[in-house]
Amino acid sequence: ETGVTQTPRHLVMGMTNKKSLKCEQHLGHNAMYWYKQSAKKPLELMFVYNFKEQTENNSVPSRFSPECPNSSHLFLHLHTLQPEDSALYLCASSQDPGAGRFGYTFGSGTRLTVV
Amino acid sequence: DQQVKQNSPSLSVQEGRISILNCDYTNSMFDYFLWYKKYPAEGPTFLISISSIKDKNEDGRFTVFLNKSAKHLSLHIVPSQPGDSAVYFCAASGYNNAGNMLTFGGGTRLMVKP
């Protein structure tokens, strides 16, 4: 499989649940990202990992917890979320954080609904 | 402080005509500018990019123009097709307040009517 793969594609969870989003890239990239896209809002950068090290945490609430065990895998652990956290969560990767002419490669996203 | 802005949230164009999507930026240190296309419930896909040292880049029906003095870029799609209906994001690569990464505009929804 090639590109950036995200699972699950859809997730419905209660506010007291704990769940995880998974992202995997087969492009040999060194940097991975989590973005959030809410309805009628711009893409919001959440976390950046470069060579497995977190280099950016864009003031994200602690109920979102990222994990990057290696350069190919990225997780977003979710717990005690709020309904306003319902959104499309996108994973992306790039050769390095300086995106250059090729930018980032995005996955298809996980549509999260918090009930 | 939004360093990349797309001031038109939506644009409607007739099939076969030209679509022009606009983007403004404030940081003169950006080195590449990119356009992404996004369908509902999917991730953005890379469309075309331009280096800051160029003023035009063309790829098939898509052309990106860069006006550095005005800090403005535009994406032209000609002829427009119904399959082009999507949200288009412009993005800029380079150093910003958070470091060296990609900064996105808010997106413009393009609707191409048959």
Side-chain angles (χ1 to χ4, degrees):
Chain A
E1 197 166 349
T2 60
V4 179
T5 304
Q6 288 187 245
T7 53
R9 289 297 307 272
H10 302 273
L11 178 63
V12 179
M13 60 185 288
M15 288 189 283
T16 58
N17 291 160
K18 287 185 181 180
K19 296 286 184 184
S20 295
L21 310 185
K22 181 182 176 183
C23 177
E24 188 173 357
Q25 58 98 359
H26 304 271
L27 301 166
H29 288 168
N30 297 313
M32 296 187 77
Y33 315 82
W34 281 114
Y35 278 87
K36 175 184 178 182
Q37 189 186 25
S38 305
K40 299 184 180 179
K41 283 189 175 181
L43 286 163
E44 299 174 55
L45 178 65
M46 299 176 73
F47 300 104
V48 180
Y49 277 83
N50 187 25
F51 287 99
K52 304 186 299 176
E53 299 295 322
Q54 187 179 126
T55 59
E56 178 72 12
N57 176 340
N58 206 18
S59 303
V60 180
S62 59
R63 56 186 184 269
F64 296 91
S65 175
E67 179 190 0
C68 187
N70 55 60
S71 294
S72 299
H73 294 84
L74 186 64
F75 295 90
L76 188 62
H77 304 298
L78 316 170
H79 64 98
T80 59
L81 294 193
Q82 306 298 313
E84 59 265 28
D85 296 322
S86 299
L88 180 68
Y89 288 85
L90 292 160
C91 173
S93 71
S94 67
Q95 185 58 43
D96 56 57
R101 62 184 293 191
F102 298 113
Y104 301 165
T105 302
F106 283 86
S108 297
T110 295
R111 171 65 62 185
L112 174 67
T113 304
V114 181
V115 297
Chain B
D1 174 29
Q2 235 182 316
Q3 296 193 55
V4 179
K5 277 188 178 178
Q6 294 175 256
N7 291 317
S8 298
S10 64
L11 173 68
S12 184
V13 170
Q14 201 68 36
E15 180 180 7
R17 307 293 289 267
I18 185 171
S19 296
I20 300 177
L21 299 128
N22 294 303
C23 181
D24 297 296
Y25 62 95
T26 57
N27 186 346
S28 58
M29 299 303 292
F30 287 135
D31 54 3
Y32 280 95
F33 300 91
L34 304 92
W35 285 94
Y36 281 82
K37 176 180 179 179
K38 185 182 180 304
Y39 292 117
E42 291 185 14
T45 55
F46 171 75
L47 202 55
I48 191 170
S49 66
I50 187 169
S51 164
S52 60
I53 63 173
K54 305 277 190 183
D55 55 19
K56 177 182 175 181
N57 187 26
E58 191 172 353
D59 183 4
R61 296 186 297 115
F62 302 91
T63 303
V64 56
F65 294 93
L66 176 63
N67 183 334
K68 286 190 72 176
S69 60
K71 293 192 174 68
H72 177 85
L73 68 153
S74 60
L75 175 68
H76 293 210
I77 306 173
V78 56
S80 301
Q81 299 172 355
D84 295 330
S85 298
V87 177
Y88 289 79
F89 292 96
C90 71
S93 171
Y95 283 95
N96 61 18
N97 294 338
N100 188 9
M101 55 186 66
L102 209 55
T103 304
F104 285 89
T108 296
R109 181 176 302 279
L110 173 65
M111 292 162 282
V112 180
K113 295 181 286 187

